[in-house]
Amino acid sequence: MQLINGFRRDNLRGDFFGGVTAAVVALPLALAFGVASGAGPIAGLYGAILVGFFAALFGGTPSQVSGPTGPMTVVMATVVMQFADEPAIAFTVVVLAGLFQILFGVCRLGSLISLVPFTVVSGFMSGIGVIIIILQISPLFGHEAPSGGVVEIVLALPATLSKMEPHALAVGLLSLAIVTLTPARVTRIIPSPLIALIVGTLLVWNMLPDVPILGAIPSGFPEPHMPALDFAHIVDIVGAALVLALLGAIDSLLTSVVADTITGTLHKSNRELIGQGIGNAIAGLFGGIPGAGATMRTVVNVRAGGATPISGMVHAAVLLAIALGLGPVASHIPHAVLAGILIKVGIDIIDWGYLKRASRAPRPGVMIMFLVLGLTVFVDLIIAVTVGLIMSSMLFVLRMQKLQLANIRTATGARGEVPLREEEVALLAEYGDQIMLCQFEGPMSFAAAKGITQRVSLHSGVTAVVLDLSNVTLIDTSVAFALADAIGRVGRGGAKAYLVGLRAPVRKILNSLGVLDLLPESHVVPERMQALRMAAASE
């Protein structure tokens, strides 16, 4: 196995330019995400450096560039706020999230994580976008963000708006206008967030000294800190780490798909999870905020020529060089400029494509999306995802139940729903209502178990029941016990039961659960006509 996935030396020039360009895009975003997380701009920068380097080195998507993202920052902000009195625990959560991601990769869960329903992801991402916008309103108006959650910030908005700082608002709106309106041909040369950062900082530095700025920023490479645990809050710590791990995994793998589409390659999802986990674990040890595969930075990297993990590592090296001498310059960056940049990030995260189609989309999915969105913004991220998954699962089960019950057909005599061959029609017509035929098709799950019990019910005069499972590809434990219950009731009613056409997977489950022991061996036959003849002969 190749030590570094996708590593090769024939694209060094493209990887160098791709990495440098991605670093230029990442710089303002890393600083902004660090501030938004509550951990500080340097934490955002070192999150970009460490996650970016180690995810590229050990990951499974050659051209992907990783670092702090909007969704990860929102969760991290909640963690920092929750453990404000014990900041070391907040970064322990980041380390633990990285270890969870490594575990996901080792257990080969990469393909399973992609099974999260689109409506849940859409609602969650749109909620994250709304949260980012709400959190940046106070900095945009020249104030520190109020303490507390989104609800408290929303309630404080009237006071914030009534005490706006005109200069800060003007600089923030200018920053937002630059990142929104800069033509694409310009952003291909100089990324719009960097333009906003430079213009806004120079404007405040020379003309508007009253606008709040970041202030002193530590320089130099941070020292590692061992994780700290508080067992009184272990449930909260593990829960937050799991949310970060799952969100980072989903975010990264979605970006991997985008990278595959652009480059025509195929990523290795489980290896990517391991790489992201290593990056986040190391970032947490050094006080960096968590990150994931970043779509915009990855696309910029590829378009600039990056194609191998070298580009992601170059991106991290450039940021490190900047970090080691950035402090004096970065300290003059206005909060309002970063707020304008992040508001555009929040707007872009909202799933406008699905929202525009909501009036035409299936109503249950739209309801789940809006419910997850509302819970994400106003209640809790974990609750939002959990409720969304539960509701989506229940909706799926109800749909499967309807489909599977439609595939259970019965016939008594020559009447009923079962398609019959000519010889079967003649035999069943001869014996009238004495023989009942039940045909099952397709996979059968617990969703259909109750329906099986209801459908296989003896009518007056029935002396034999033929259960045709020839077209059943798969059953679960619930279906096996439902068949056992049906066979038992048939026997107690004085009739005989026959099983037809058991495929190997179905036979294995029925045999292991003892269902076949309820019947004479001769009553389990391969062909339906054979079972019907045996039922007729028993009369």
Side-chain angles (χ1 to χ4, degrees):
M1 184 178 72
Q2 195 173 20
L3 182 61
I4 304 176
N5 183 55
F7 173 80
R8 62 180 200 269
R9 296 186 181 89
D10 62 351
N11 194 57
L12 290 177
R13 185 175 183 274
D15 288 332
F16 176 78
F17 283 110
V20 171
T21 307
V24 171
V25 174
L27 175 61
L29 294 176
L31 294 171
F33 285 136
V35 173
S37 72
I42 198 66
L45 197 53
Y46 276 107
I49 293 167
L50 295 170
V51 178
F53 184 85
F54 289 102
L57 181 62
F58 296 107
T61 312
S63 59
Q64 181 152 281
V65 175
S66 301
T69 64
M72 297 290 278
T73 300
V74 168
V75 178
M76 186 61 186
T78 303
V79 173
V80 170
M81 190 181 303
Q82 185 176 6
F83 299 106
D85 298 331
E86 302 174 276
I89 294 181
F91 291 102
T92 299
V93 170
V94 179
V95 174
L96 188 58
L99 296 178
F100 277 134
Q101 288 182 321
I102 295 172
L103 183 63
F104 294 163
V106 171
C107 295
R108 309 187 69 79
L109 300 181
S111 58
L112 294 179
I113 290 172
S114 63
L115 298 178
V116 177
F118 173 83
T119 50
V120 176
V121 174
S122 175
F124 183 76
M125 297 301 284
S126 294
I128 291 292
V130 171
I131 290 174
I132 291 174
I133 294 169
I134 291 174
L135 291 177
Q136 298 310 309
I137 291 177
S138 291
L140 184 70
F141 282 79
H143 303 288
E144 290 187 7
S147 59
V150 172
V151 175
E152 288 80 1
I153 293 174
V154 171
L155 293 176
L157 282 181
T160 300
L161 298 178
S162 66
K163 298 178 182 178
M164 71 174 69
E165 296 291 338
H167 290 165
L169 179 60
V171 170
L173 292 177
L174 175 63
S175 172
L176 178 59
I178 290 173
V179 295
T180 303
L181 302 176
T182 301
R185 63 180 181 275
V186 176
T187 59
R188 281 194 289 267
I189 302 172
I190 305 177
S192 59
L194 185 63
I195 298 174
L197 192 69
I198 294 171
V199 171
T201 301
L202 290 176
L203 182 63
V204 170
W205 197 349
N206 292 307
M207 300 175 59
L208 304 171
D210 59 324
V211 175
I213 60 177
L214 295 182
I217 297 176
S219 59
F221 200 83
E223 295 182 1
H225 297 281
M226 294 303 295
L229 281 177
D230 182 352
F231 288 98
H233 298 94
I234 192 66
V235 174
D236 293 332
I237 292 171
V238 173
L242 273 173
V243 171
L244 273 176
L246 287 169
L247 181 57
I250 294 170
D251 210 356
S252 298
L253 294 181
L254 287 176
T255 303
S256 295
V257 172
V258 173
D260 287 349
T261 302
I262 298 173
T263 61
T265 59
L266 290 175
H267 72 279
K268 299 177 180 178
S269 58
N270 295 309
R271 182 164 181 162
E272 182 62 32
L273 292 180
I274 292 173
Q276 294 290 336
I278 293 172
N280 280 312
I282 295 175
L285 288 174
F286 285 90
I289 66 173
T295 303
M296 183 171 69
R297 277 155 273 179
T298 299
V299 172
V300 166
N301 173 48
V302 174
R303 287 177 176 169
T308 83
I310 295 175
S311 58
M313 291 186 279
V314 168
H315 142 270
V318 172
L319 290 178
L320 177 61
I322 294 173
L324 294 177
L326 179 71
V329 178
S331 63
H332 295 281
I333 296 173
H335 284 282
V337 169
L338 297 181
I341 294 172
L342 285 179
I343 287 174
K344 179 61 166 62
V345 172
I347 292 171
D348 290 341
I349 289 176
I350 294 173
D351 190 356
W352 297 107
Y354 186 72
L355 289 173
K356 290 176 182 176
R357 297 178 177 88
S359 61
R360 307 189 303 274
R363 184 160 297 181
V366 174
M367 291 175 61
I368 290 174
M369 188 276 290
F370 278 112
L371 177 63
V372 173
L373 193 161
L375 291 174
T376 299
V377 175
F378 295 110
V379 182
D380 182 83
L381 301 171
I382 301 174
I383 292 175
V385 174
T386 303
V387 170
L389 288 174
I390 291 174
M391 290 194 64
S392 297
S393 299
M394 291 178 63
L395 182 62
F396 176 76
V397 169
L398 289 174
R399 288 173 176 168
M400 288 300 100
Q401 181 186 53
K402 189 173 182 180
L403 289 172
Q404 291 174 11
L405 290 180
N407 286 331
I408 302 176
R409 302 179 179 89
T410 61
T412 304
R415 304 181 308 277
E417 310 160 312
V418 181
L420 298 171
R421 294 189 289 270
E422 185 176 341
E423 56 181 340
E424 294 172 337
V425 171
L427 188 148
L428 289 172
E430 179 181 351
Y431 286 90
D433 294 337
Q434 294 176 298
I435 299 176
M436 177 180 177
L437 173 62
C438 296
Q439 183 187 54
F440 304 81
E441 290 192 6
M444 291 283 160
S445 70
F446 65 94
K450 186 176 179 180
I452 291 173
T453 304
Q454 293 173 341
R455 293 290 183 94
V456 186
S457 56
L458 290 180
H459 303 295
S460 177
V462 173
T463 58
V465 176
V466 175
L467 304 175
D468 184 1
L469 279 69
S470 303
N471 296 322
V472 175
T473 55
L474 186 70
I475 65 171
D476 62 13
T477 300
S478 297
V479 172
F481 280 115
L483 288 171
D485 180 59
I487 291 169
R489 286 188 295 106
V490 168
R492 290 191 297 272
K496 295 179 180 179
Y498 300 86
L499 282 177
V500 176
L502 301 183
R503 299 191 182 193
V506 176
R507 179 182 290 272
K508 182 178 179 181
I509 291 178
L510 293 178
N511 189 50
S512 64
L513 294 175
V515 178
L516 298 184
D517 296 337
L518 302 176
L519 293 169
E521 188 174 345
S522 60
H523 284 210
V524 181
V525 298
E527 299 290 339
R528 187 165 74 189
M529 193 59 201
Q530 179 183 355
L532 291 174
R533 291 193 182 103
M534 291 175 65
S538 66
E539 296 302 318

